[in-house]
Amino acid sequence: KSFTEPFRPQYHFSPEANWMNDPNGMVYLDGEYHLFYQYYPDSTVWGPMHWGHAVSTDLVHWEHLPIAIYPDKNGWIFSGSAVIDHNNTSGLGSPQNPAMIAIFTYHDPVGEKEGRVDFQTQGIAYSLDKGRTWTVYADNPVLKNPGIKDFRDPKVRWYADSEGNGKWIMSLAVWDKISFYSSPNLLDWTFESDFNPDWAAYGGVWECPDLFPLTDTDGTQKWILFVSINPGGPQGGSATQYFVGNFDGKTFSTESSETLWLDYGADNYAGVTWSNVPESDGRTLFIGWMSNWQYAQIVPTHPWRSATTLPRNLELVKKDNGYLVASRPVKEIEKLRTESITVSGNSFELENELVELLLSPNQEDFKIHISNDKGDRVIIEKSDQELKIDRTQSGFIDFSTEFPAVHNAPLHAIDVKNIRLFIDRSSIEIFINDGELVMTELVFPTFPFTNVNLEGISDSNTLHYLNGIW
Ligand code: FRU
């Protein structure tokens, strides 16, 4: 595999060719992290959806595998999740060889064309050979449409109450709310409750929910609900909001009272967490689609479109004004470091295009200029209690009127202590204070970035050059 095309991400996952959107069905099994994804193998724009597939033993290096799930008589295969049915509740595997079960949305294009409202339903497929081959369940769909157009993106997890009684819980995006369903066996589903507080962000349709517990360093556990929305994100277009609260097996209640965004950049959408991560690992692992529906289908890449974000582990952090979910690049990324340099002064050159930078501000406000000799530049700035990234002169920008913009993120009460930046061939990811504030942004410089200029930043910083993964 060469992966040498212009803008081809060198340490982010992308399909070899053609269109990708949401990551789907992330599940860990026997030493492998599985990544499925919304895939259209016949074009570089969105179309009839399949589940593409890749595996990794370290979340960083990926092996592309054949398409896992194809459209069938019930429709195209939209987003969803995967679980390991350890107790063989479904009867589709055995206790010795539990089934890997994918739960996804069928989108029936015929029903849609006919103007029906019930063309999205939930189906399942299972694999008994570590995700290599899949069998579609004969009695699909397992959850029929109750008469609402947007009824999709099931994220399923096992939930055990304090007596140890367990059941499967499905979070489902239903137009402008999240509906929770329960099941003893992944085959029969019962409606439990809806969640849609009036103060949440409703600029667009709700998509790709995820419900999971997180525990902070004091041992306090909260349940987190992710809801991706498109449009209506803080930078326009798509983004992921989240709620901090409690889930009692039937109902999610939130203690948040304002919209929280997982990532304030323009390009992190539809991300959800891995299931079946071993307790001995204990991390909550996340990956997102590194694009935005505003321009995802017209970005200047060929013969593929879209990549995923860096894999991140999610942490619950208590702040003076409540809890937030921090996203941190997984530690496995550090294996890519090839050369580490202490750079002094406020201006230095980059000799490699794959870069990780660790910076410490020494003033209230700061500015980071990343540029090349062709005049392309990205400016990251903190001022007026906001973090800003300006990609208006970042290189190729005019494929979309929405792409060239300055994106602002409120710092809330965050006092910036450290800045970690990752530069790949067509992306910049900024992590403030170990991921308390994150901005993920696509950029298409006409030439690699070669210069860094700093203001308000300490004059001793760390620069790591990174290896590519392909
Ligand atoms: C989110 C989304 C999902 C849907 C999928 C279709 O980006 O719109 O709601 O299942 O993409 O590809």
Side-chain angles (χ1 to χ4, degrees):
K1 196 171 304 136
S2 62
F3 275 33
T4 53
E5 307 93 337
F7 306 130
R8 174 66 91 169
Q10 297 298 296
Y11 59 92
H12 290 80
F13 175 79
S14 61
E16 289 187 76
N18 294 312
W19 171 263
M20 172 176 85
N21 55 292
D22 314 355
N24 292 151
M26 291 97 86
V27 59
Y28 174 90
L29 182 63
D30 298 342
E32 289 179 326
Y33 295 94
H34 291 263
L35 170 64
F36 301 89
Y37 52 91
Q38 287 289 278
Y39 188 48
Y40 183 34
D42 299 325
S43 170
T44 50
V45 294
W46 190 87
M49 286 289 118
H50 302 55
W51 272 28
H53 189 196
V55 288
S56 172
T57 54
D58 63 2
L59 290 163
V60 176
H61 297 86
W62 294 96
E63 180 190 347
H64 292 94
L65 293 179
I67 290 173
I69 310 177
Y70 286 79
D72 63 45
K73 64 178 191 314
N74 286 302
W76 299 345
I77 314 298
F78 271 21
S79 288
S81 50
V83 296
I84 305 301
D85 186 11
H86 290 288
N87 299 330
N88 198 28
T89 61
S90 64
L92 296 171
S94 62
Q96 300 73 35
N97 186 24
M100 178 184 286
I101 301 188
I103 309 97
F104 51 81
T105 297
Y106 274 119
H107 176 96
D108 174 13
V110 180
E112 183 181 29
K113 229 190 201 132
E114 288 170 353
R116 300 168 66 104
V117 291
D118 60 355
F119 55 85
Q120 294 191 339
T121 58
Q122 319 316 317
I124 68 176
Y126 60 98
S127 170
L128 301 175
D129 59 358
K130 301 181 196 290
R132 270 33 179 208
T133 60
W134 288 84
T135 305
V136 170
Y137 181 58
D139 284 331
N140 274 339
V142 293
L143 178 57
K144 295 204 173 70
N145 189 301
I148 179 147
K149 259 208 254 175
D150 296 287
F151 188 70
R152 61 177 178 270
D153 306 341
K155 180 74 163 87
V156 174
R157 65 172 302 107
W158 183 252
Y159 176 88
D161 67 19
S162 49
E163 272 101 63
N165 301 312
K167 58 184 175 181
W168 299 102
I169 295 291
M170 176 195 292
S171 308
L172 196 69
V174 184
W175 174 228
D176 59 355
K177 60 181 188 242
I178 301 304
S179 296
F180 298 102
Y181 288 81
S182 69
S183 172
N185 56 12
L186 296 163
L187 309 174
D188 306 299
W189 292 94
T190 305
F191 173 78
E192 295 287 354
S193 66
D194 281 335
F195 176 77
N196 55 343
D198 20 295
W199 52 265
Y202 292 101
V205 64
W206 283 23
E207 300 183 318
C208 300
D210 193 3
L211 173 74
F212 54 91
L214 278 185
T215 303
D216 75 359
T217 49
D218 294 336
T220 305
Q221 191 196 72
K222 299 285 176 190
W223 283 81
I224 309 298
L225 179 66
F226 279 8
V227 178
S228 279
I229 91 166
N230 177 54
Q235 313 306 347
S238 22
T240 302
Q241 63 180 321
Y242 67 92
F243 304 88
V244 179
N246 186 39
F247 182 71
D248 64 6
K250 289 177 174 299
T251 308
F252 178 80
S253 53
T254 182
E255 61 194 49
S256 310
S257 55
E258 61 171 327
T259 306
L260 300 166
W261 300 98
L262 184 67
D263 189 316
Y264 278 88
D267 300 297
N268 180 358
Y269 192 60
V272 291
T273 59
W274 254 271
S275 73
N276 204 46
V277 175
E279 262 173 51
S280 58
D281 180 313
R283 289 180 298 176
T284 301
L285 299 167
F286 166 94
I287 208 162
W289 175 41
M290 194 158 59
S291 198
N292 188 312
W293 279 115
Q294 284 185 323
Y295 41 72
Q297 304 190 73
I298 51 173
V299 295
T301 65
H302 189 80
W304 85 101
R305 273 213 182 91
S306 296
T308 57
T309 65
L310 280 180
R312 301 163 185 190
N313 57 299
L314 304 177
E315 304 277 348
L316 182 68
V317 178
K318 189 175 185 186
K319 306 298 286 184
D320 293 344
N321 51 354
Y323 287 89
L324 60 77
V325 175
S327 309
R328 305 181 177 161
V330 297
K331 63 178 186 307
E332 289 88 338
I333 294 290
E334 294 164 23
K335 290 197 304 190
L336 297 177
R337 292 175 180 167
T338 124
E339 197 187 336
S340 302
I341 303 166
T342 302
V343 282
S344 40
N346 53 19
S347 164
F348 54 90
E349 280 175 17
L350 301 176
E351 273 153 24
N352 179 322
E353 56 185 325
L354 309 182
V355 168
E356 174 190 355
L357 258 179
L358 305 173
L359 308 173
S360 330
N362 62 6
Q363 285 172 36
E364 180 62 27
D365 289 343
F366 58 78
K367 214 178 222 188
I368 306 161
H369 279 244
I370 301 166
S371 60
N372 61 29
D373 298 338
K374 310 277 178 204
D376 301 338
R377 68 186 106 143
V378 171
I379 302 159
I380 298 159
E381 185 180 0
K382 184 196 163 217
S383 62
D384 311 324
Q385 280 304 306
E386 281 185 330
L387 184 72
K388 306 170 200 206
I389 173 162
D390 178 346
R391 63 175 179 189
T392 58
Q393 298 169 88
S394 54
F396 291 100
I397 51 162
D398 54 12
F399 54 87
S400 150
T401 52
E402 273 141 341
F403 186 83
V406 181
H407 294 148
N408 300 356
L411 275 158
H412 295 295
I414 297 171
D415 173 26
V416 180
K417 297 215 168 63
N418 59 66
I419 307 162
R420 192 167 174 200
L421 277 179
F422 285 88
I423 308 175
D424 198 344
R425 277 199 189 159
S426 50
S427 63
I428 297 188
E429 286 157 286
I430 308 165
F431 298 88
I432 301 289
N433 289 2
D434 298 321
E436 291 183 358
L437 176 66
V438 183
M439 295 185 87
T440 300
E441 298 270 332
L442 293 178
V443 285
F444 301 97
T446 58
F447 198 75
F449 292 120
T450 45
N451 305 308
V452 177
N453 289 286
L454 306 171
E455 288 170 40
I457 304 264
S458 127
D459 56 13
S460 177
N461 297 291
T462 306
L463 165 62
H464 300 285
Y465 292 125
L466 305 180
N467 278 320
I469 60 172
W470 303 113

